[in-house]
Amino acid sequence: MTSVTTDVAAPDARKAGKFVYVTAVVLLCAWVLVPIYFLLINTLSSPDTVNSFPKPFWPEFDLGSLTFFAGFAGMLTALKNSILVAGMTMIMSIVIGAPAGYALSRFDFRGKELFRLLILLTRAFPLPLLALPLAVMFIQTGLDDTVFGLALVHTTLAIPFAVLITFSLFSGIPIELEEAAWTLGCTRLTAFTKVVLPLILPGITASAIFAFVISWNEVFAAAVLTIENRTLTAFLLQNLDTSPLHLKFAGGFILVVPALIFIFAVRKYLFAMWGIANR
Amino acid sequence: MAEIQIKNVAKTFGAYQALHDINLTIQDQEFMVLLGASGCGKTTLLRIVAGLETATTGEVWIGGRRIDHLPPKDRGIAMVFQNYAVFPHLTVFENIGFGLRMQKLPNDEVKRRVERTAELMHIEQLLKRYSGELSGGQRQRVAVARALAMEPDVILMDEPLSNLDALLRMEMRAELKGVLAESNTTAIYVTHDQVEAMSMADRISVMHQGKIVQAASPIEVYRNPAAEFVAGFIGNPPMNFLPATPSGNGKWTVGGQDMNGPVSSETLKFAIRPEDLRPSETGLKATAKVVEPLGAHLLVTCDVEGALFRAVLDSDMTVKPGDVLTLAPQTDRVRWFNPETTLAVA
Ligand SMILES: Nc1ncnc2c1ncn2[C@@H]1O[C@H](COP(=O)(O)OP(=O)(O)OP(=O)(O)O)[C@@H](O)[C@H]1O
Ligand SMILES: [Mg+2]
């Protein structure tokens, strides 16, 4: 922000600042929304319209591309695999991530700060580097080309977020509530299930959905580690470059929409992850 | 029977020693107040009794049973927290009944006890509400009701009234005292408000820097402070101190005047409460500096041979700054302290 000392310049500077701000917001929105808008238009248009120019402003609501897409061989299996992998990822990342988040917020232990940093650093390590050793290891252990194997990889991707989100959720619950429960006859476990869990359940749901989306959108590991049991992303990657344009749009649409809806539903908890006040 | 014995309890946080060798016995059904300035270790001691903090060394006994290794739920205690800790996801009814449900009492018994304690705390019309829909005072009542409903042997309270406004605090003070007197529980009550301590306690333990300086009845603590710290902490305004030099045989020179005192050859401190001074023909020569009419009394801040000296006088006296007053201390109220040990001299 600019700080202005002379009162003559103040109104101008403020106006300019506001202009920059509004422009930035508009540009950012456009950057996100315009591709989605074209995706929508093209998905819901007949194949002819997709290839023509200029585009209509309103979509034609021609479901041809989508119905063809749904009938595409292997498409439904891939969808089923995607849901399975994302579901497993969701469960595993919460089961592993939430206790870690709880420990981080409630206990003091040596190396706590380092641990927090390391959790984030796992995301800084590029997956392509890991792909080959992982593939080899998976073949050795027989985990290659299985839904569970892929879910494991996705879980490691989702865990940092699960830990950070639940850490901030647990930190938002005063320790006194738990202590009060202990003095009223609870063990650590019953205090957790009767007091803490009901209070963080919405947040846990959000972080589970986020894990789901991470897995749903992940394409690299999915493409490398599966052959028969492809997830939707890997399946589309494999098939779409040979498909006509309108099918590409339909495929992109099917990938983007669930992710968008989910992220929109849990957006306030994603802010909580970075310690920005939620609610 | 729930006598609490705290034996040789010490607590260190890293290198910081928060409690030094605390020894305290609290009688069955006694109302014990822990009083002291912020940071003196009151909460730490209370939490050690509750089992929310472990003592570094020492033992805690309740009702003849050693309990310092037990989790909070097995100690027969209930606690009221400073910020109330009312569960936000439960109604007032379920909050008060929380502990009873944990004991797996039958529904009608839970209902009976919740309703009775709610009535006792005058919150029976709030039972269906959530904590977000309550005022601070109401939340405080819920917190106390929740503890009382457990019918514990010992109730521990950490500054339960500190978040309330002055009027409500006075009201709740009397109410709480009445309710607890009827409930046959032993109580430890933490506060830094000396008026609260004086008015509620059977006994007060004055704490200072992790030690208990004096544990005695309120009037004893007020009249016969065991140490200079207690004398300077209790009472508003606190006790006056003046240096005293011995002139032999129990005679002392204080503020240029002769006084009778204990037989000692060391220098001592002479101490007197501001309200135990009377204007008189002979006595300490005090120059008035500030005069504050407080309605019932007149608080005069004076100077006696360079030392700060306060007197609480009758409000129909006329005193102006600059006046020289002659104040006679009420002889049976004079106390003497040893400046080396800071302890009272008999
Ligand atoms: N968990 C902790 N870690 C380190 N130091 C602590 C911890 N808890 C308390 N202390 C220190 O111990 C001392 C006593 O704290 P305590 O909370 O018992 O004070 P208190 O008498 O209750 O004060 P107040 O009236 O402000 O509540 C303080 O100096 C505090 O900083
Ligand atoms: Mg405290």
Side-chain angles (χ1 to χ4, degrees), chain B residues 37-312:
Chain B
S38 188
C40 70
K42 309 178 295 286
T43 299
T44 308
L45 184 56
L46 195 74
R47 288 170 57 87
I48 286 173
V49 175
L52 300 173
E53 201 88 71
T54 32
T56 312
T57 56
E59 301 175 3
V60 183
W61 295 64
I62 294 180
R65 197 165 61 109
R66 185 169 172 190
I67 49 104
D68 48 72
H69 56 286
L70 297 177
K73 70 185 180 67
D74 299 327
R75 296 189 174 203
I77 53 124
M79 184 151 169
V80 180
F81 291 79
Q82 180 168 2
N83 60 4
Y84 318 138
V86 174
F87 303 129
H89 62 300
L90 299 176
T91 59
V92 169
F93 184 99
E94 287 303 328
N95 261 285
I96 301 176
F98 188 90
L100 308 176
R101 295 237 190 264
M102 290 309 299
Q103 291 173 6
K104 305 233 164 17
L105 294 185
N107 266 333
D108 49 340
E109 171 72 4
V110 172
K111 189 164 185 295
R112 198 180 60 75
R113 270 163 73 170
V114 169
E115 277 167 2
R116 204 191 57 213
T117 32
E119 212 168 296
L120 206 62
M121 295 308 297
H122 307 294
I123 45 172
E124 61 271 39
Q125 71 292 353
L126 303 176
L127 286 174
K128 289 203 177 62
R129 300 230 196 136
Y130 287 89
S131 90
E133 304 161 346
L134 301 176
S135 73
Q138 290 168 335
R139 241 173 265 172
Q140 206 275 325
R141 285 165 194 269
V142 174
V144 174
R146 186 175 65 182
L148 286 177
M150 300 283 289
E151 297 177 5
D153 298 332
V154 172
I155 188 162
L156 307 170
M157 288 171 276
D158 191 357
E159 313 206 21
L161 305 183
S162 63
N163 290 343
L164 306 181
D165 67 56
L167 201 65
L168 192 57
R169 189 154 32 172
M170 203 155 78
E171 199 179 297
M172 285 295 301
R173 202 162 74 198
E175 204 173 307
L176 207 54
K177 189 178 176 178
V179 167
L180 283 170
E182 263 165 51
S183 68
N184 301 333
T185 49
T186 311
I188 306 184
Y189 186 103
V190 164
T191 182
H192 59 247
D193 180 340
Q194 48 168 305
V195 181
E196 216 167 277
M198 296 295 280
S199 68
M200 297 178 87
D202 291 329
R203 257 190 324 147
I204 298 179
S205 295
V206 183
M207 292 186 67
H208 181 50
Q209 295 180 344
K211 298 191 181 91
I212 292 183
V213 189
Q214 185 174 17
S217 70
I219 198 68
E220 178 76 7
V221 167
Y222 189 77
R223 285 283 167 241
N224 296 316
E228 227 181 290
F229 170 77
V230 182
F233 185 72
I234 305 252
N236 187 19
M239 258 186 161
N240 293 307
F241 297 99
L242 289 174
T245 38
S247 45
N249 235 348
K251 300 283 180 206
W252 296 82
T253 312
V254 179
Q257 303 296 309
D258 291 334
M259 303 259 177
N260 290 324
V263 183
S264 166
S265 56
E266 299 166 71
T267 40
L268 292 181
K269 273 189 185 169
F270 160 94
I272 185 77
R273 292 217 169 268
E275 63 270 30
D276 297 333
L277 293 161
R278 296 282 167 275
S280 156
E281 305 288 296
T282 57
L284 298 161
K285 297 276 177 280
T287 315
K289 294 277 181 212
V290 183
V291 181
E292 295 166 78
L294 300 178
H297 304 285
L298 200 62
L299 172 61
V300 187
T301 307
C302 331
D303 176 301
V304 174
E305 292 198 329
L308 175 77
F309 199 81
R310 293 193 190 87
V312 172

Side-chain angles (χ1 to χ4, degrees), chain A residues 24-68:
Chain A
V25 169
V26 168
L27 279 178
L28 266 177
C29 287
W31 189 54
V32 175
L33 289 178
V34 167
I36 293 178
Y37 170 72
F38 278 115
L39 196 60
L40 184 78
I41 296 258
N42 284 325
T43 306
L44 296 178
S45 301
S46 61
D48 301 336
T49 331
V50 172
N51 292 317
S52 69
F53 196 86
K55 310 276 181 208
F57 189 72
W58 294 111
E60 298 169 327
F61 294 104
D62 180 307
L63 296 180
S65 309
L66 279 177
T67 30
F68 174 81

